[in-house]
Amino acid sequence: MQVDTTVNFELTQRRGLIVWVYSLRQLKNLKRLGFVHYVSRKMKYVVMYLNEENFEEAKERIERLHFVRSVEPSYRPDIEMNFAEKIGTKAAYQADDYEEEHSSEIRLAENV
């Protein structure tokens, strides 16, 4: 008898949110709305992640809480993260074959 041990794992798209608060006493309320990643007790802010599909409605709920000073969303998912066109040629950052990809020599953009 064979047991199927494969597990399908799906990545959930998330977006970061920085929540500035007046007091950290109500931190439990924020934990219910998303994943709390970091809490700064000195500067009184919370870094948390929310699921992308319900990000806007959760952000609005957090903004309406009485202990929240302000909310700043992360813009990283909206930014193009491919910088090869901006800093040099595309060929400098693409491996032609397997051996070049795993070699230890440093390739500069002008030598490619």
Side-chain angles (χ1 to χ4, degrees), residues 8 32 37:
N8 293 335
R32 292 179 186 149
H37 177 70

Side-chain angles (χ1 to χ4, degrees), residues 82-95 107 109 112:
N82 184 8
F83 300 112
E85 298 168 354
K86 306 255 188 293
I87 60 173
T89 63
K90 288 184 184 179
Y93 299 100
Q94 296 174 351
R107 298 183 307 155
V112 175

Side-chain angles (χ1 to χ4, degrees), residues 2 4 12 15 22 24 38 45 51-52 56 58 63 67 73 76 95 100:
Q2 272 188 322
D4 186 21
T12 305
R15 185 179 286 240
Y22 292 108
L24 291 171
Y38 177 75
Y45 71 90
N51 290 342
E52 187 72 44
E56 288 299 323
E63 286 175 339
F67 60 91
R76 187 172 191 272
E100 285 184 6

